[in-house]
């Protein structure tokens, strides 16, 4: 309302001025180089006004040509970029909806309209990967690698492509380049660590593990566990090369990091027994059993004494289990030894205690054997053994596969140091293990969105 009032006031003022000039035209004479021009003041004023208006129109035309002209204007670039960003946003929505063909078409349009930038290449690579066109995806990642600001992302994508096609050496080289770009990248460190393990380069993996711990990739417990596993794997190679002393040293260090490490204890005890150091071998197994009462340690002890009598085995076992005499593994082993010696009453007492703590299939089956030895009815015990919880076993934390023995690398999923003893008998909750995805997810955007989804082998 105020503006309309002002406009009307200005219009009235202009009309009044024109009317006044019409009533008072005046006279103007201009002389220049012998030229004389006679006119009125009103006409001269109108001419000047028209000249000013014409000059303004010329200036406006020039500005329009520089900005809004369809072919030459600066706004043409802005409009192209606005359209490009619109295509970019639509391509993201198409990816989210799973329409990869449309996403690729839209991002191609965006790439045409927008200046080179990482986001366009990243989404184009994502769309190509989801569409199964890995060649195009690799091209886009290479374009990212050439961009100083996006080199790390480009390397990360190329690493994924190299691993997908089985080029582990190339992936390791690129991962080390990526770490050079960002020395604090946990992802790069973890990738290097997993690739070094895949290459069985245990020494390099141990050095990377130390760096990873310093940056907080692994906690202290996981670091010690991984280091022990690496030392165990190294000891196997050293022993195969005939370097028994180096193998013993590696296994000793592994047991220092991971007391009660079943596989390391068994291997070290075997090495000592081969050279006739039976007492030393049994001491190693006893120390491990004190930390980790495990049936395989008892099996290792029995392998060291293959010709031992039932009575002697019972006596050795009773001394060997030491402070772990009330553990379910100890109770079961002692009950089996006592039954082999026909000590029925002692066996029953041990089994009753065992069935209260860990009513597993093995415990009920041994009870059935005991009842047969006593001449009683063992059918009830056999029925219960069929429905009782299964005994503890080796199980991969990554893929859930049950295994006969412990391995450095899971033979089912290639996971590193992810096999643990599933103690179903006592319903122990397995401690969660801080691990890192070893395989890059399907696409780079997925991986960036969930950068440390529990690191898996």
């Amino acid at each position: 309302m105020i503006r309309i009032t002002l406009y009307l006031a200005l219009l009235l003022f202009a009309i009044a001025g024109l009317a006044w000039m019409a009533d008072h035209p005046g006279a103007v004479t201009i002389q220049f180089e012998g030229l004389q021009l006679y006119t009125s003041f009103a006409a001269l004023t109108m001419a000047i006004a028209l000249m000013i208006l014409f000059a303004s129109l010329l200036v406006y035309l020039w500005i329009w040509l520089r900005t809004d002209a369809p072919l030459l204007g600066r706004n043409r670039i802005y409009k192209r970029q606005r359209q490009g960003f619109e295509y970019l946003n639509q391509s993201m929505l198409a990816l989210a909806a799973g329409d990869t063909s449309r996403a690729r078409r839209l991002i191609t349009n965006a790439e045409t309209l927008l200046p080179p930038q990482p986001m366009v290449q990243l989404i184009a690579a994502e769309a190509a990967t989801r569409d199964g066109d890995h060649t195009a995806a690799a091209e886009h990642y290479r374009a990212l690698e050439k961009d100083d600001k996006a080199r790390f992302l480009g390397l990360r994508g190329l690493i994924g492509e190299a691993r997908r096609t089985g080029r582990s050496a190339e992936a390791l080289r690129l991962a080390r380049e990526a770490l050079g770009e960002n020395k604090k990248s946990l992802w790069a460190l973890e990738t290097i660590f997993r690739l070094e393990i895949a290459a069985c380069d245990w020494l390099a993996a141990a050095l990377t593990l130390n760096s990873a711990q310093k940056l907080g990739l692994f906690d202290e417990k996981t670091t010690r566990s991984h280091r022990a596993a690496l030392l165990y794997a190294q000891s196997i190679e050293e022993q195969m090369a005939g370097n028994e002393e180096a193998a013993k040293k590696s296994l000793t260090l592994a047991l220092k990091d991971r007391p009660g490490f079943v596989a390391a204890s068994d291997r070290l005890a075997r090495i000592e027994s081969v050279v006739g150091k039976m007492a030393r071998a049994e001491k190693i197994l006893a120390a491990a059993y004190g930390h980790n009462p495990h049936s395989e340690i008892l099996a290792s002890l029995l392998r060291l004494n293959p010709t031992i009598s039932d009575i002697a085995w019972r006596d050795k076992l009773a001394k060997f289990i030491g402070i772990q005499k009330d553990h379910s593994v100890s109770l079961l082993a002692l009950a089996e030894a006592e039954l082999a010696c026909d000590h029925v009453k002692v066996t029953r007492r041990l089994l009753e205690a065992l069935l209260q703590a860990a009513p597993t299939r093995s415990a009920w089956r041994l009870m059935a054997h005991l009842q047969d030895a006593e001449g009683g009815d063992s059918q009830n015990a056999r029925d219960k053994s069929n429905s009782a919880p299964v005994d503890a076993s080796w199980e991969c934390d990554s893929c859930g596969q049950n295994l006969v023995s412990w391995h450095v690398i899971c033979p089912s999923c290639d996971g590193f140091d992810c096999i643990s003893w599933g103690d179903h008998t006592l319903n122990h909750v397995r401690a969660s293990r801080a691990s890192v995805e070893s395989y890059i997810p399907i696409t780079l955007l997925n991986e960036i969105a969930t950068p440390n989804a529990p690191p898996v082998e």
Side-chain angles (χ1 to χ4, degrees), residues 260-281:
F261 189 178
V262 176
S265 301
D266 175 61
R267 180 168 288 275
L268 184 56
R270 289 190 189 191
I271 293 175
E272 297 289 3
S273 66
V274 167
V275 295
K277 298 182 179 180
M278 300 300 295
R280 171 64 180 161

Side-chain angles (χ1 to χ4, degrees), residues 127-204:
T129 302
R130 293 192 184 187
D131 207 25
D133 190 351
H134 294 284
T135 301
E139 290 178 0
H140 290 297
Y141 287 135
R142 279 191 286 270
L144 280 172
E145 183 192 9
K146 294 176 183 177
D147 188 329
D148 292 338
K149 296 180 180 179
R151 177 170 166 75
F152 184 82
L153 275 181
L155 289 169
R156 191 165 180 169
L158 290 173
I159 291 167
E161 289 299 315
R163 298 181 75 176
R164 185 190 61 80
T165 54
R167 294 178 289 119
S168 298
E170 175 70 5
L172 182 56
R173 182 188 68 80
L174 292 170
R176 285 170 176 162
E177 282 190 30
L179 185 62
E181 289 292 316
N182 184 357
K183 296 187 181 299
K184 294 186 178 181
S185 171
L186 298 182
W187 173 87
L189 265 176
E190 188 275 333
T191 301
I192 293 171
F193 180 62
R194 302 300 174 181
L195 288 170
E196 288 171 341
I197 289 171
C200 297
D201 192 346
W202 314 119
L203 290 174

Side-chain angles (χ1 to χ4, degrees), residues 71 76 94 97 150 165 208 217 223 242 256 292 312 338 382 403 420 453:
L71 299 178
R76 175 184 62 87
T165 54
T208 304
L217 179 60
T223 301
K256 184 177 179 181
N292 179 19
E338 295 288 358
R382 295 184 188 281
L403 302 166
S420 60

Side-chain angles (χ1 to χ4, degrees), residues 342-356:
D342 294 325
H343 297 166
V344 176
K345 291 184 179 179
V346 178
T347 303
R348 176 169 285 280
R349 186 172 67 252
L350 291 170
L351 278 178
E352 287 174 352
L354 176 61
L355 288 172
Q356 288 183 356

Side-chain angles (χ1 to χ4, degrees), residues 66-67 69-84 113-115:
R66 291 288 305 273
T67 56
L71 299 178
L72 302 174
R74 188 183 304 148
N75 280 355
R76 175 184 62 87
I77 300 175
Y78 297 152
K79 289 177 182 178
R80 282 172 58 86
Q81 291 184 356
R82 281 197 299 269
Q83 185 63 45
L113 295 173
L114 293 174

